[in-house]
Amino acid sequence: MIYLDHSATSPVDPEVFEAMKPYFIDSFGNASTLYSLGREGKNAMEAAREQVASIIGAETKEIIFTSGGTESDNIAIKGTAYKFKNKGNHIITSTIEHPAVYETCKYLEKNGFEVTYLPVYNDGIVKVSDLKEAITDKTILITIMHANNEIGTIQPIAEIGAIAREKGIYFHTDAVQTVGKIPVDVKEMNVDMLSLSSHKLYGPKGVGALYIRKGVRVEPIIHGGGHERGIRPGTENIPGIVGLGKACSIAKENLVRDAQKLTSLRDKLIDSVLEQVEDSYLNGHRTKRLPNNANFRFTAIEGESLILTLDSKGIASSTGSACSSTKLEPSHVLMAIGLKEVESHGSLRISLGHENTEEDINYTINAIKEVVAKLRKMSPLWCASGT
């Protein structure tokens, strides 16, 4: 199997797994208890908090552990909305956000909040001028993802953050796809809140973190025993947290090397497919994208057939977000960049990982050429075009 769907999830790094093991069986204590077994868990959790803070340039006390990116996004968005609902009810986001943000904003619209969805045009990038025009005296939150999970485009987060800071508006970014892949510094980015997830950077599933800048206040969306400064109560997942911390530590150490390798493989893949496969196109910006992301579309090809046929050749890839891969509706991201519905159904997302090799890419390029040609022979759309 050649695994090319790292944007959906990544395998747990063996070093991460080894770091987690003691906290399942030996050091299993509840971190909120006072005896030594509990203190072991507490100490491990605080060490992991330092590791997570380090990879994004934050202070240790600014990190809140959660169950993953979706919960982090919900705490940031709902927590801000509920905290400042008497000050204003306007939120600004984009049309290409992950469902964890997009659906949360839709929920808030049903409960008295107004949401502006900024367009991204055909390159998949928000225009800062559109953001400036959208701000009103009722705006309490701006939430724009750092990089898109489907087309990989990287947003001008530092510029957006500077505008938000100048206007006194909280700014949150979903950085689930970027932490561990490109440099992330919360101070340089001018963000108030940032979401990240463990399983996107070779850590375990079911754990993530939310950076909340010192002085920023949000309303808890669940209530309980007061864990994580009362913002995210519930007994802490110590093995998962340890795994997230270790994954962040490894990713930080290897960030530059891995980014250079992935960018090289990505560019070879993109250039080869566009040159060798007729009527193939790249979705999103050519260079302002994640080092591991390539998102294609092919005329007269149905995406699910493409994925399944590639799978039969030992290649795991996707059509878009793993969180909505079972839906039959066209991708809202691809529709937002101006594609027609039939075009959006012919997409292929390939997201690389550090274990992928040039041999993997060569095999994948040849497989895509073969599979696209095979499917087009059976496609009434391709035959109707007279090609």
Side-chain angles (χ1 to χ4, degrees):
M1 172 66 69
I2 298 176
Y3 185 73
L4 300 175
D5 199 19
H6 293 82
S7 290
T9 194
S10 57
V12 174
D13 187 292
E15 289 186 52
V16 170
F17 181 63
E18 289 300 319
M20 295 171 63
K21 283 167 64 175
Y23 299 94
F24 285 108
I25 300 174
D26 299 321
S27 300
F28 60 85
N30 188 318
S32 296
T33 56
L34 297 178
Y35 44 78
S36 59
L37 202 60
R39 293 199 303 272
E40 288 177 10
K42 178 74 170 179
N43 292 338
M45 180 172 66
E46 295 311 315
R49 202 185 305 274
E50 291 181 9
Q51 292 171 314
V52 175
S54 178
I55 198 173
I56 61 172
E59 297 180 19
T60 304
K61 292 183 178 179
E62 296 174 316
I63 301 300
I64 299 295
F65 289 117
T66 68
S67 64
T70 294
E71 185 181 16
S72 294
D73 288 342
N74 272 260
I75 293 173
I77 297 168
K78 291 179 183 175
T80 300
Y82 298 156
K83 186 71 174 180
F84 295 99
K85 61 183 178 181
N86 294 328
K87 177 184 177 183
N89 69 338
H90 182 229
I91 296 169
I92 299 173
T93 188
S94 82
T95 52
I96 62 168
E97 295 297 312
H98 187 277
V101 170
Y102 194 81
E103 294 300 330
T104 301
C105 288
K106 289 293 185 182
Y107 167 81
L108 289 174
E109 281 188 289
K110 297 177 182 178
N111 289 272
F113 292 86
E114 296 181 2
V115 181
T116 296
Y117 298 89
L118 299 176
V120 294
Y121 309 99
N122 61 4
D123 63 359
I125 298 176
V126 168
K127 287 186 177 179
V128 174
S129 57
D130 288 342
L131 172 72
K132 291 179 179 179
E133 291 179 7
I135 294 173
T136 74
D137 58 0
K138 297 293 185 180
T139 305
I140 55 174
L141 175 67
I142 299 169
T143 176
I144 304 290
M145 66 195 331
H146 192 188
N148 185 260
N149 52 298
E150 291 190 35
I151 59 176
T153 48
I154 300 172
Q155 303 297 335
I157 294 300
E159 294 179 65
I160 294 171
I163 294 168
R165 191 69 54 85
E166 179 185 349
K167 298 288 186 179
I169 301 167
Y170 277 4
F171 177 40
H172 163 257
T173 188
D174 180 330
V176 165
Q177 293 293 339
T178 57
V179 173
K181 298 184 182 73
I182 61 176
V184 174
D185 187 301
V186 292
K187 295 180 177 63
E188 292 181 0
M189 294 163 62
N190 301 305
V191 296
D192 297 300
M193 292 170 283
L194 178 146
S195 302
L196 62 91
S197 181
S198 169
H199 75 106
K200 307 294 188 180
L201 62 151
Y202 298 90
K205 299 175 181 67
V207 62
L210 175 64
Y211 158 78
I212 304 178
R213 183 173 62 84
K214 184 178 179 180
V216 168
R217 298 289 180 263
V218 296
E219 190 75 16
I221 61 173
I222 58 174
H223 303 86
H227 311 76
E228 296 300 284
R229 294 169 25 205
I231 296 173
R232 203 279 183 178
T235 301
E236 299 91 348
N237 172 12
I238 300 303
I241 289 170
V242 168
L244 169 58
K246 184 65 174 179
C248 286
S249 178
I250 295 171
K252 181 182 178 183
E253 181 180 351
N254 299 327
L255 184 65
V256 175
R257 183 198 66 188
D258 287 348
Q260 290 174 342
K261 173 190 173 182
L262 293 173
T263 299
S264 177
L265 294 177
R266 177 204 71 186
D267 289 347
K268 178 175 183 176
L269 174 66
I270 291 174
D271 292 341
S272 298
V273 169
L274 296 183
E275 289 172 4
Q276 299 177 35
V277 180
E278 185 180 0
D279 285 344
S280 60
Y281 306 90
L282 182 70
N283 296 320
H285 198 281
R286 178 61 182 83
T287 57
K288 295 179 182 178
R289 66 190 309 120
L290 291 169
N292 73 323
N293 175 284
N295 190 300
F296 302 101
R297 68 181 187 276
F298 304 95
T299 301
I301 293 292
E302 201 281 319
E304 289 187 4
S305 298
L306 181 58
I307 300 306
L308 292 173
T309 311
L310 287 173
D311 183 49
S312 71
K313 291 182 170 296
I315 298 171
S317 55
S318 71
T319 56
S321 171
C323 300
S324 57
S325 61
T326 59
K327 295 181 180 179
L328 297 178
E329 294 88 356
S331 160
H332 74 282
V333 174
L334 298 182
M335 297 294 284
I337 63 174
L339 299 190
K340 298 176 182 178
E341 186 170 331
V342 67
E343 292 175 318
S344 70
H345 280 301
S347 68
L348 170 68
R349 181 185 71 176
I350 292 178
S351 46
L352 309 173
H354 61 61
E355 72 274 21
N356 292 131
T357 65
E358 189 168 359
E359 288 73 21
D360 292 342
I361 298 306
N362 290 335
Y363 179 84
T364 300
I365 292 166
N366 290 328
I368 290 174
K369 289 165 56 180
E370 181 182 332
V371 170
V372 168
K374 177 182 177 181
L375 293 176
R376 278 177 172 165
K377 288 181 179 179
M378 299 183 289
S379 170
L381 291 176
W382 188 251
C383 295
S385 69
T387 305

